[in-house]
Amino acid sequence: MVSTGHSKVMVPLTSTAILHGLRPDLAALSRISERIGCNGFFTFVLADPSEDVFAHGRMFAPAIGIPEDPVTGNACGPLGAYLARHGLIALEPAKTTEFTVRQGESMGRPGLVKVEVRHAGETFGIRIAGEAVLVFATTIELEPHG
């Protein structure tokens, strides 16, 4: 479990076929979330070195009403800390390591998150960046109750 504000369980997988084939039991994930005190599960695969991304991911957070989030900086940031902690990305003192995570492919809503990780003593400095796309807008008018 990793947190940069909201905890996520990091679930490494071995292939994008497995990642994209997941059909999680959302009710079971909600129960697990309550029991272990986290609000989401980030499944990921490190990408083939020839790709333009470092990892592919999927984020499930049914305990907070999000069956699957297409693109999640709130999960990609903790992924950076997880990868750094376990030596899966190279970190040099006083330098920033950057990588890109692709999400949303399984939902037909692909997106990219840029993650920056800097070693900061016993912890890691994490920054995320990306561009948002508006997919829905509405106006709700409420009548006075009375």
Side-chain angles (χ1 to χ4, degrees):
M1 195 164 10
V2 180
S3 178
T4 57
H6 295 282
S7 62
K8 303 287 178 275
V9 174
M10 297 288 126
V11 182
L13 300 172
T14 57
S15 76
T16 53
I18 293 170
L19 177 74
H20 297 309
L22 292 175
R23 300 294 174 257
D25 179 336
L26 299 176
L29 289 181
S30 290
R31 290 189 300 273
I32 293 168
S33 289
E34 186 176 326
R35 188 168 56 239
I36 66 174
C38 83
N39 68 5
F41 299 84
F42 190 65
T43 58
F44 69 93
V45 174
L46 298 182
D48 182 303
S50 66
E51 290 189 51
D52 60 342
V53 299
F54 188 76
H56 296 264
R58 292 180 71 187
M59 170 61 189
F60 305 100
I64 58 172
I66 303 170
E68 182 171 358
D69 196 344
V71 182
T72 317
N74 198 331
C76 293
L79 175 64
Y82 175 90
L83 296 173
R85 174 69 65 205
H86 294 286
L88 299 171
I89 56 173
L91 291 178
E92 295 181 40
K95 293 198 178 196
T96 298
T97 297
E98 299 177 357
F99 63 90
T100 302
V101 179
R102 180 180 300 276
Q103 261 189 275
E105 297 162 299
S106 299
M107 303 174 72
R109 294 174 59 191
L112 300 170
V113 176
K114 179 180 163 187
V115 180
E116 297 177 356
V117 181
R118 180 181 285 262
H119 194 266
E122 292 296 312
T123 62
F124 301 99
I126 307 290
R127 286 179 36 169
I128 58 166
E131 294 181 18
V133 176
L134 182 63
V135 295
F136 179 78
T138 189
T139 301
I140 298 174
E141 292 184 31
L142 301 175
E143 294 183 19
H145 186 137

